[in-house]
Amino acid sequence: MIYKEGKVSDVQIAYIGGGSRGWAWTFMTDLALEPNMSGTIRLYDLDENAAKANEIIGNHVTEREEAVGKWKYETYTDVEQALTGADFIVISILPGTFDEMAVDVHTPERLGIYQSVGDTAGPGGIVRALRTIPMFVKIAEDIKKYAPNAWVINYTNPMSLCVKTLYYTFPEIKAFGCCHEVFGTQKVLKAIVEEKMHLENVDRKDIHVNVLGINHFTWFDYASYKGIDLFPVYKEYIEEHYEEGYNEPDKNWANSAFNCAHRVKFDLFERYGLIAAAGDRHLAEFMPGDEYLNDPETVKSWKFGLTTVDWRKNDLKERLEKSDRLLRSEEEVELKPTGEEGILLIKALCGLERVVSNVNIPNTDFQIPNLPASAVVETNAVFERDAIRPVVAGAIPENVKALIMPHVENHETTLKAALTCNRELVVKAFLNDPLVKGKKCTEEQVRELVDDMLQGTLKYLPEGWKN
C-alpha cells in the first residue's frame, strides 16, 4: 500500500467467492464511491466464468466518470497467487447450492420444525455449518501459508462458526465477521425517534448503541440519541404499536419473506428488557420451536415470513440474467451508498479513519465477561490503523444469557462434529437446539432427521462422512 496526501493506493484485496452475483456488486459500489482508496481486487472463485464476469463488470464500473474510487479487477485461478501479497481478504461464499439449502430448511418441517432463514441456528444452520467448516479450514490454511498478515473479513453464514473455524485453524489470524443486522435495528430506532420526537433526517450513526450477544442474536442494553435515553422512547412506542408493529416504508412484511413488522423484537423487549438487534426472521430461530415458529400460521401472526428456497432459486435466476445485462452494458450497477460498512472498516484499518462498529470476533478479551472466552461474540470495537480493539460490552443479563448459551454450546459441538465427521455430535447438537427442543421430538426422530439431512448434503461433505 502507498500512502500519500491522506489517500492510500495500491491496496490489494483478495476476494474469495469473487464470482458472487449480488454481494460483489455491493462491494464494487462502495469501492467506487470511496475517493481516498484505490488498488486491485483479485477475484477468486471455483466458478472461473463467474469471476471473469465480475472482472468485466467491475472494470466497467471503474471506468465510469462518477466512480471516484479507481480499482482494477482481475480474475485469479490459483489461490496462492490470489492471496500472496494481499492486504485484505474478503470471504463471501455459498456452501453448496440452493438444493442443499432446501434440505436444510424443509426436511425438518416433517417434525413441525419451521425455520425462517436456515443458515445460522436450527437444524438447517447446523447442517450448513458441516458443509462450510471444511471449506473454512482450507481457507485458513491457505491464508496462514500465503498471507498470514492480511486482514480477513468474513460475510459468509453461519457467521459465528465461520469465524470460529478461522481462529481454530490459524489462531494468529487477523479475522473478523461483518453483519448489517445491527444497522437495521438502528434504522428502526432512528425512525421511531423521528416519529416520537418530531425530528427529520436523523442519521443512523447518531443512534449510539452498546452491542452484545452472538451473530443474528444480538442485543442492545444501551441506546442513545444526542443525550436522550432511547429505552423509554422505545418502550412507549411498543405500548402504542405492539399489535401492528413497525412497518418500514416500502418494506411491507407481507410483500417479501425477507421483511418483517418487528413484532418479535417488540415482544422480546417486553419479555427480557433489552432491545433485540437483528431481523425478526433471525431472532425467531434462536428461540424455542413452540414460540414464534410453532407453525406457519403463528409465523404469519407475528408478521414475518418463512424462508422460501424456491424464491431464492428464482432470485438467482434473475441475478444471472442481470449479470448478463451488466456484461452487455444493457444495465449499469447503481452507484449509491449501500449502507454496508465493510469499505469503511478497511479504510480505518488502513489508518485513514477511526471507526466504532459492531464486529464478530472471539471473546478472548472478555468483551462479554459472563460468556466463554472461546465463544465468538458480537460487540462494538474500535477500528484504526492495523488494529481492532474490542469494546468491553459488559455482562449480558442472566435471562438473556440463558437464551444464548445453548447456541454457544452448539457452536463448540458442531465444530467438533465437522472436524471429526462425528454423527453422534450432530445428534447432540440437534437435541440441544431450542427449535428442536421446543417441538418435543423423540431421540429416534431426531436421529432419523440427522441421517436424512446428512444424506441430502453428502456430496459437499468430506469423505469421512461417507463411511
Side-chain angles (χ1 to χ4, degrees), residues 146-163:
Y146 304 124
N149 295 317
W151 282 100
V152 181
I153 309 169
N154 178 58
Y155 285 93
T156 305
N157 288 325
M159 173 66 73
S160 299
L161 267 164
C162 289
V163 174

Side-chain angles (χ1 to χ4, degrees), residues 373-415:
S374 60
V376 170
V377 297
E378 187 162 352
T379 67
N380 284 332
V382 177
F383 289 75
E384 53 192 1
R385 185 191 61 78
D386 202 31
I388 298 177
R389 308 189 194 283
V391 172
V392 175
I396 199 157
E398 288 300 316
N399 59 348
V400 177
K401 178 187 174 184
L403 301 177
I404 290 174
M405 280 308 298
H407 302 285
V408 170
E409 293 162 359
N410 268 5
H411 293 162
E412 295 286 346
T413 303
T414 305
L415 177 62

Side-chain angles (χ1 to χ4, degrees), residues 104 122-132 426 430 453-454 457 461:
D104 297 346
I126 293 167
V127 173
R128 180 185 175 103
L130 298 179
R131 295 195 297 274
T132 311
V426 181
F430 272 46
M453 292 183 72
L454 288 175
T457 199
L461 295 178

